[in-house]
Amino acid sequence: MNLLHLSHLKRTYHPHSAHPVRALKDISFDVDPGEYIAIMGESGAGKSTLLNIIATLEKASAGEIKLNGQNLSALTVDQAAKYRREHLGFIFQHFNLLNSLSNRDNIYLPLVLSKTAVSKMEKRLQPLASSLGIENILDRYPAEISGGQQQRIAIARALITHPDLLLADEPTGALDSNTSNEILDLFASVNENGQTIIMVTHSAAAASRAKRTLFIKDGRIYHELFRGDNPFKKYQEEISQTMMTLTNGGE
Ligand SMILES: Nc1ncnc2c1ncn2[C@@H]1O[C@H](COP(=O)(O)OP(=O)(O)O)[C@@H](O)[C@H]1O
Ligand SMILES: [Mg+2]
């Protein structure tokens, strides 16, 4: 069974106004467990809208979206909140850590919200902290560490619930290229260990690390590319080329 199934998904903002915004016009794709997918497209193409619908933060206007067979459109607001906590992990461009909490407590937060025992939280953090290289910064605060380190803490927070799906919106958008590469290396190894990832990115270099890239234009899927056995550089060029064609009005 697919992990995620989207069929003829549509999202219109202000549908009854004089100027409805058709952010998503017809989006269909499936995601298998263990996939690593990048989503690219110009500003305003509908990437964040798509990610927000998968994240159950927004509802589709029409079409079907199922995660593990669960129809996400049918969830009430409360059910969606619980579903998000238990099944999804999020990573954002600006990390979104709480400055009043230590890094350790930031990571524990989603488990605290679902009333997990402290011993279980500690047990889950240990292997994560070692693989993310954050063991020695757990008792500091977000303001006391670098952007790259903050993103590592955010990755730990996203993964500590063992989510079915990791969603990332421009995770390297606020980082320099060396730090971006370190974060992308972590994504790759997390994916190697079986974690399914969907990442929105503007960067062809970032997208080239994913196994498949979906290109969105005007609320529709314009094209998709698979890395296959291509060397990263060649695949990155292919992605850049596709973005250029898409930007230049190719239909
Ligand atoms: N809350 C909203 N209300 C009205 N229009 C919106 C809203 N959110 C996004 N849009 C519009 O929907 C389209 C897609 O936006 P978005 O999904 O944010 O694109 P992207 O993330 O690819 O830049 C744009 O035209 C944007 O202006
Ligand atoms: Mg966006």
mmCIF file of all heavy atoms in Angstrom, residues 85-116:
data_model
loop_
_atom_site.group_PDB
_atom_site.id
_atom_site.type_symbol
_atom_site.label_atom_id
_atom_site.label_comp_id
_atom_site.label_asym_id
_atom_site.label_seq_id
_atom_site.Cartn_x
_atom_site.Cartn_y
_atom_site.Cartn_z
ATOM 1 N N ARG A 85 0.630 15.150 15.533
ATOM 2 C CA ARG A 85 1.591 14.842 16.604
ATOM 3 C C ARG A 85 2.099 13.420 16.500
ATOM 4 O O ARG A 85 3.255 13.143 16.750
ATOM 5 C CB ARG A 85 0.913 15.019 17.962
ATOM 6 C CG ARG A 85 0.979 16.414 18.524
ATOM 7 C CD ARG A 85 0.850 16.402 20.044
ATOM 8 N NE ARG A 85 -0.276 15.649 20.545
ATOM 9 C CZ ARG A 85 -1.499 16.149 20.714
ATOM 10 N NH1 ARG A 85 -1.731 17.412 20.403
ATOM 11 N NH2 ARG A 85 -2.471 15.406 21.181
ATOM 12 N N GLU A 86 1.204 12.490 16.152
ATOM 13 C CA GLU A 86 1.564 11.072 16.210
ATOM 14 C C GLU A 86 2.194 10.543 14.917
ATOM 15 O O GLU A 86 2.903 9.547 14.944
ATOM 16 C CB GLU A 86 0.322 10.238 16.558
ATOM 17 C CG GLU A 86 -0.135 10.508 17.987
ATOM 18 C CD GLU A 86 -1.410 9.780 18.350
ATOM 19 O OE1 GLU A 86 -1.984 9.092 17.472
ATOM 20 O OE2 GLU A 86 -1.829 9.913 19.515
ATOM 21 N N HIS A 87 1.892 11.174 13.796
ATOM 22 C CA HIS A 87 2.304 10.569 12.521
ATOM 23 C C HIS A 87 3.231 11.413 11.660
ATOM 24 O O HIS A 87 3.775 10.919 10.685
ATOM 25 C CB HIS A 87 1.064 10.201 11.694
ATOM 26 C CG HIS A 87 0.199 9.187 12.357
ATOM 27 N ND1 HIS A 87 0.422 7.835 12.244
ATOM 28 C CD2 HIS A 87 -0.866 9.317 13.179
ATOM 29 C CE1 HIS A 87 -0.487 7.170 12.946
ATOM 30 N NE2 HIS A 87 -1.283 8.055 13.533
ATOM 31 N N LEU A 88 3.362 12.699 11.982
ATOM 32 C CA LEU A 88 4.131 13.580 11.099
ATOM 33 C C LEU A 88 5.237 14.305 11.849
ATOM 34 O O LEU A 88 5.080 14.628 13.029
ATOM 35 C CB LEU A 88 3.200 14.623 10.466
ATOM 36 C CG LEU A 88 2.038 14.087 9.635
ATOM 37 C CD1 LEU A 88 1.104 15.226 9.241
ATOM 38 C CD2 LEU A 88 2.550 13.364 8.400
ATOM 39 N N GLY A 89 6.344 14.549 11.163
ATOM 40 C CA GLY A 89 7.408 15.389 11.702
ATOM 41 C C GLY A 89 7.602 16.582 10.783
ATOM 42 O O GLY A 89 7.447 16.455 9.566
ATOM 43 N N PHE A 90 7.934 17.745 11.363
ATOM 44 C CA PHE A 90 8.058 18.982 10.582
ATOM 45 C C PHE A 90 9.414 19.628 10.773
ATOM 46 O O PHE A 90 9.894 19.736 11.892
ATOM 47 C CB PHE A 90 7.019 20.009 11.030
ATOM 48 C CG PHE A 90 5.627 19.558 10.856
ATOM 49 C CD1 PHE A 90 4.961 18.957 11.904
ATOM 50 C CD2 PHE A 90 4.989 19.702 9.642
ATOM 51 C CE1 PHE A 90 3.660 18.509 11.740
ATOM 52 C CE2 PHE A 90 3.695 19.256 9.473
ATOM 53 C CZ PHE A 90 3.022 18.662 10.526
ATOM 54 N N ILE A 91 9.963 20.129 9.675
ATOM 55 C CA ILE A 91 11.186 20.926 9.747
ATOM 56 C C ILE A 91 10.974 22.175 8.898
ATOM 57 O O ILE A 91 10.456 22.088 7.780
ATOM 58 C CB ILE A 91 12.396 20.110 9.250
ATOM 59 C CG1 ILE A 91 12.622 18.937 10.207
ATOM 60 C CG2 ILE A 91 13.637 20.971 9.166
ATOM 61 C CD1 ILE A 91 13.626 17.947 9.738
ATOM 62 N N PHE A 92 11.344 23.321 9.461
ATOM 63 C CA PHE A 92 11.064 24.603 8.805
ATOM 64 C C PHE A 92 12.363 25.328 8.462
ATOM 65 O O PHE A 92 13.419 25.032 9.038
ATOM 66 C CB PHE A 92 10.248 25.505 9.732
ATOM 67 C CG PHE A 92 8.993 24.868 10.254
ATOM 68 C CD1 PHE A 92 8.994 24.175 11.457
ATOM 69 C CD2 PHE A 92 7.808 24.934 9.539
ATOM 70 C CE1 PHE A 92 7.838 23.587 11.947
ATOM 71 C CE2 PHE A 92 6.652 24.339 10.012
ATOM 72 C CZ PHE A 92 6.658 23.667 11.221
ATOM 73 N N GLN A 93 12.232 26.320 7.592
ATOM 74 C CA GLN A 93 13.394 27.119 7.195
ATOM 75 C C GLN A 93 14.037 27.820 8.402
ATOM 76 O O GLN A 93 15.246 27.863 8.525
ATOM 77 C CB GLN A 93 12.945 28.159 6.161
ATOM 78 C CG GLN A 93 14.040 29.080 5.698
ATOM 79 C CD GLN A 93 13.568 29.951 4.541
ATOM 80 O OE1 GLN A 93 12.409 29.905 4.132
ATOM 81 N NE2 GLN A 93 14.469 30.737 4.008
ATOM 82 N N HIS A 94 13.176 28.380 9.268
ATOM 83 C CA HIS A 94 13.704 29.167 10.395
ATOM 84 C C HIS A 94 13.654 28.398 11.708
ATOM 85 O O HIS A 94 13.534 28.987 12.786
ATOM 86 C CB HIS A 94 12.990 30.511 10.473
ATOM 87 C CG HIS A 94 13.266 31.356 9.256
ATOM 88 N ND1 HIS A 94 14.501 31.887 8.984
ATOM 89 C CD2 HIS A 94 12.485 31.696 8.207
ATOM 90 C CE1 HIS A 94 14.469 32.540 7.833
ATOM 91 N NE2 HIS A 94 13.254 32.435 7.329
ATOM 92 N N PHE A 95 13.715 27.085 11.614
ATOM 93 C CA PHE A 95 13.905 26.164 12.739
ATOM 94 C C PHE A 95 12.709 26.103 13.693
ATOM 95 O O PHE A 95 12.343 25.036 14.170
ATOM 96 C CB PHE A 95 15.193 26.464 13.532
ATOM 97 C CG PHE A 95 16.333 26.971 12.687
ATOM 98 C CD1 PHE A 95 17.010 28.141 12.993
ATOM 99 C CD2 PHE A 95 16.702 26.296 11.519
ATOM 100 C CE1 PHE A 95 18.043 28.631 12.191
ATOM 101 C CE2 PHE A 95 17.741 26.762 10.708
ATOM 102 C CZ PHE A 95 18.398 27.933 11.050
ATOM 103 N N ASN A 96 12.116 27.284 14.006
ATOM 104 C CA ASN A 96 10.936 27.349 14.879
ATOM 105 C C ASN A 96 11.125 26.653 16.222
ATOM 106 O O ASN A 96 10.236 25.948 16.694
ATOM 107 C CB ASN A 96 9.695 26.775 14.161
ATOM 108 C CG ASN A 96 9.310 27.605 12.949
ATOM 109 O OD1 ASN A 96 10.127 28.375 12.438
ATOM 110 N ND2 ASN A 96 8.095 27.473 12.488
ATOM 111 N N LEU A 97 12.285 26.864 16.838
ATOM 112 C CA LEU A 97 12.494 26.354 18.197
ATOM 113 C C LEU A 97 11.959 27.390 19.187
ATOM 114 O O LEU A 97 11.873 28.574 18.864
ATOM 115 C CB LEU A 97 13.985 26.114 18.447
ATOM 116 C CG LEU A 97 14.650 25.094 17.509
ATOM 117 C CD1 LEU A 97 16.161 25.064 17.735
ATOM 118 C CD2 LEU A 97 14.045 23.702 17.693
ATOM 119 N N LEU A 98 11.600 26.932 20.372
ATOM 120 C CA LEU A 98 11.135 27.859 21.409
ATOM 121 C C LEU A 98 12.336 28.321 22.229
ATOM 122 O O LEU A 98 13.030 27.524 22.853
ATOM 123 C CB LEU A 98 10.108 27.173 22.316
ATOM 124 C CG LEU A 98 8.815 26.753 21.622
ATOM 125 C CD1 LEU A 98 7.885 26.043 22.596
ATOM 126 C CD2 LEU A 98 8.114 27.964 21.010
ATOM 127 N N ASN A 99 12.571 29.643 22.230
ATOM 128 C CA ASN A 99 13.779 30.178 22.866
ATOM 129 C C ASN A 99 13.772 30.049 24.378
ATOM 130 O O ASN A 99 14.815 30.115 25.013
ATOM 131 C CB ASN A 99 13.972 31.645 22.472
ATOM 132 C CG ASN A 99 14.469 31.746 21.037
ATOM 133 O OD1 ASN A 99 15.318 30.953 20.620
ATOM 134 N ND2 ASN A 99 13.921 32.672 20.274
ATOM 135 N N SER A 100 12.580 29.890 24.949
ATOM 136 C CA SER A 100 12.490 29.805 26.416
ATOM 137 C C SER A 100 12.798 28.396 26.925
ATOM 138 O O SER A 100 12.927 28.178 28.118
ATOM 139 C CB SER A 100 11.099 30.223 26.869
ATOM 140 O OG SER A 100 10.145 29.367 26.258
ATOM 141 N N LEU A 101 12.899 27.432 26.022
ATOM 142 C CA LEU A 101 13.182 26.052 26.426
ATOM 143 C C LEU A 101 14.604 25.670 26.036
ATOM 144 O O LEU A 101 15.116 26.128 25.014
ATOM 145 C CB LEU A 101 12.224 25.079 25.730
ATOM 146 C CG LEU A 101 10.732 25.175 26.027
ATOM 147 C CD1 LEU A 101 9.978 24.084 25.261
ATOM 148 C CD2 LEU A 101 10.467 25.042 27.525
ATOM 149 N N SER A 102 15.225 24.815 26.840
ATOM 150 C CA SER A 102 16.537 24.280 26.465
ATOM 151 C C SER A 102 16.370 23.457 25.184
ATOM 152 O O SER A 102 15.251 23.069 24.818
ATOM 153 C CB SER A 102 17.093 23.386 27.578
ATOM 154 O OG SER A 102 16.332 22.195 27.641
ATOM 155 N N ASN A 103 17.499 23.186 24.528
ATOM 156 C CA ASN A 103 17.416 22.377 23.307
ATOM 157 C C ASN A 103 16.798 21.015 23.602
ATOM 158 O O ASN A 103 15.962 20.519 22.848
ATOM 159 C CB ASN A 103 18.819 22.218 22.711
ATOM 160 C CG ASN A 103 19.377 23.546 22.240
ATOM 161 O OD1 ASN A 103 18.625 24.381 21.724
ATOM 162 N ND2 ASN A 103 20.668 23.760 22.424
ATOM 163 N N ARG A 104 17.178 20.424 24.736
ATOM 164 C CA ARG A 104 16.635 19.119 25.110
ATOM 165 C C ARG A 104 15.106 19.192 25.254
ATOM 166 O O ARG A 104 14.384 18.348 24.720
ATOM 167 C CB ARG A 104 17.252 18.664 26.436
ATOM 168 C CG ARG A 104 16.817 17.272 26.893
ATOM 169 C CD ARG A 104 17.233 17.020 28.340
ATOM 170 N NE ARG A 104 18.663 17.207 28.555
ATOM 171 C CZ ARG A 104 19.584 16.270 28.323
ATOM 172 N NH1 ARG A 104 19.228 15.086 27.894
ATOM 173 N NH2 ARG A 104 20.857 16.537 28.554
ATOM 174 N N ASP A 105 14.626 20.254 25.924
ATOM 175 C CA ASP A 105 13.175 20.359 26.140
ATOM 176 C C ASP A 105 12.434 20.675 24.838
ATOM 177 O O ASP A 105 11.287 20.273 24.658
ATOM 178 C CB ASP A 105 12.865 21.398 27.220
ATOM 179 C CG ASP A 105 13.214 20.865 28.608
ATOM 180 O OD1 ASP A 105 13.327 19.627 28.747
ATOM 181 O OD2 ASP A 105 13.398 21.683 29.537
ATOM 182 N N ASN A 106 13.108 21.386 23.916
ATOM 183 C CA ASN A 106 12.518 21.581 22.588
ATOM 184 C C ASN A 106 12.289 20.235 21.907
ATOM 185 O O ASN A 106 11.244 19.992 21.308
ATOM 186 C CB ASN A 106 13.426 22.444 21.717
ATOM 187 C CG ASN A 106 13.075 23.919 21.765
ATOM 188 O OD1 ASN A 106 12.080 24.347 21.176
ATOM 189 N ND2 ASN A 106 13.851 24.699 22.503
ATOM 190 N N ILE A 107 13.292 19.359 22.020
ATOM 191 C CA ILE A 107 13.192 18.050 21.363
ATOM 192 C C ILE A 107 12.092 17.210 22.023
ATOM 193 O O ILE A 107 11.329 16.516 21.339
ATOM 194 C CB ILE A 107 14.555 17.308 21.420
ATOM 195 C CG1 ILE A 107 15.606 18.103 20.656
ATOM 196 C CG2 ILE A 107 14.416 15.898 20.852
ATOM 197 C CD1 ILE A 107 17.034 17.596 20.861
ATOM 198 N N TYR A 108 12.006 17.313 23.353
ATOM 199 C CA TYR A 108 11.008 16.513 24.074
ATOM 200 C C TYR A 108 9.576 17.007 23.857
ATOM 201 O O TYR A 108 8.616 16.265 24.082
ATOM 202 C CB TYR A 108 11.289 16.537 25.584
ATOM 203 C CG TYR A 108 12.436 15.653 26.027
ATOM 204 C CD1 TYR A 108 13.052 15.854 27.267
ATOM 205 C CD2 TYR A 108 12.886 14.600 25.232
ATOM 206 C CE1 TYR A 108 14.101 15.050 27.691
ATOM 207 C CE2 TYR A 108 13.941 13.794 25.652
ATOM 208 C CZ TYR A 108 14.543 14.020 26.876
ATOM 209 O OH TYR A 108 15.570 13.221 27.307
ATOM 210 N N LEU A 109 9.432 18.261 23.428
ATOM 211 C CA LEU A 109 8.104 18.891 23.418
ATOM 212 C C LEU A 109 6.983 18.046 22.796
ATOM 213 O O LEU A 109 5.932 17.859 23.423
ATOM 214 C CB LEU A 109 8.202 20.265 22.747
ATOM 215 C CG LEU A 109 6.983 21.172 22.904
ATOM 216 C CD1 LEU A 109 6.676 21.429 24.386
ATOM 217 C CD2 LEU A 109 7.226 22.515 22.209
ATOM 218 N N PRO A 110 7.179 17.491 21.568
ATOM 219 C CA PRO A 110 6.067 16.712 20.997
ATOM 220 C C PRO A 110 5.704 15.489 21.842
ATOM 221 O O PRO A 110 4.529 15.105 21.896
ATOM 222 C CB PRO A 110 6.577 16.272 19.623
ATOM 223 C CG PRO A 110 8.011 16.637 19.554
ATOM 224 C CD PRO A 110 8.306 17.618 20.635
ATOM 225 N N LEU A 111 6.698 14.911 22.532
ATOM 226 C CA LEU A 111 6.397 13.743 23.378
ATOM 227 C C LEU A 111 5.731 14.179 24.683
ATOM 228 O O LEU A 111 4.879 13.469 25.224
ATOM 229 C CB LEU A 111 7.678 12.951 23.667
ATOM 230 C CG LEU A 111 8.303 12.238 22.468
ATOM 231 C CD1 LEU A 111 9.530 11.446 22.895
ATOM 232 C CD2 LEU A 111 7.299 11.304 21.801
ATOM 233 N N VAL A 112 6.136 15.361 25.190
ATOM 234 C CA VAL A 112 5.488 15.896 26.396
ATOM 235 C C VAL A 112 4.009 16.131 26.105
ATOM 236 O O VAL A 112 3.132 15.793 26.904
ATOM 237 C CB VAL A 112 6.161 17.223 26.842
ATOM 238 C CG1 VAL A 112 5.349 17.919 27.913
ATOM 239 C CG2 VAL A 112 7.579 16.953 27.342
ATOM 240 N N LEU A 113 3.734 16.667 24.902
ATOM 241 C CA LEU A 113 2.340 16.947 24.525
ATOM 242 C C LEU A 113 1.521 15.668 24.440
ATOM 243 O O LEU A 113 0.318 15.683 24.668
ATOM 244 C CB LEU A 113 2.290 17.695 23.183
ATOM 245 C CG LEU A 113 2.844 19.120 23.206
ATOM 246 C CD1 LEU A 113 2.867 19.716 21.805
ATOM 247 C CD2 LEU A 113 2.037 20.014 24.148
ATOM 248 N N SER A 114 2.172 14.549 24.102
ATOM 249 C CA SER A 114 1.398 13.303 24.074
ATOM 250 C C SER A 114 1.639 12.472 25.349
ATOM 251 O O SER A 114 1.422 11.261 25.371
ATOM 252 C CB SER A 114 1.687 12.506 22.801
ATOM 253 O OG SER A 114 3.067 12.348 22.612
ATOM 254 N N LYS A 115 2.100 13.182 26.414
ATOM 255 C CA LYS A 115 2.183 12.598 27.763
ATOM 256 C C LYS A 115 3.034 11.327 27.837
ATOM 257 O O LYS A 115 2.674 10.343 28.484
ATOM 258 C CB LYS A 115 0.771 12.313 28.302
ATOM 259 C CG LYS A 115 -0.115 13.549 28.358
ATOM 260 C CD LYS A 115 -1.447 13.243 29.033
ATOM 261 C CE LYS A 115 -2.268 14.468 29.336
ATOM 262 N NZ LYS A 115 -2.452 15.388 28.200
ATOM 263 N N THR A 116 4.191 11.395 27.178
ATOM 264 C CA THR A 116 5.115 10.255 27.192
ATOM 265 C C THR A 116 5.957 10.280 28.473
ATOM 266 O O THR A 116 6.328 11.356 28.951
ATOM 267 C CB THR A 116 6.042 10.354 25.963
ATOM 268 O OG1 THR A 116 5.241 10.480 24.807
ATOM 269 C CG2 THR A 116 6.935 9.130 25.829
#
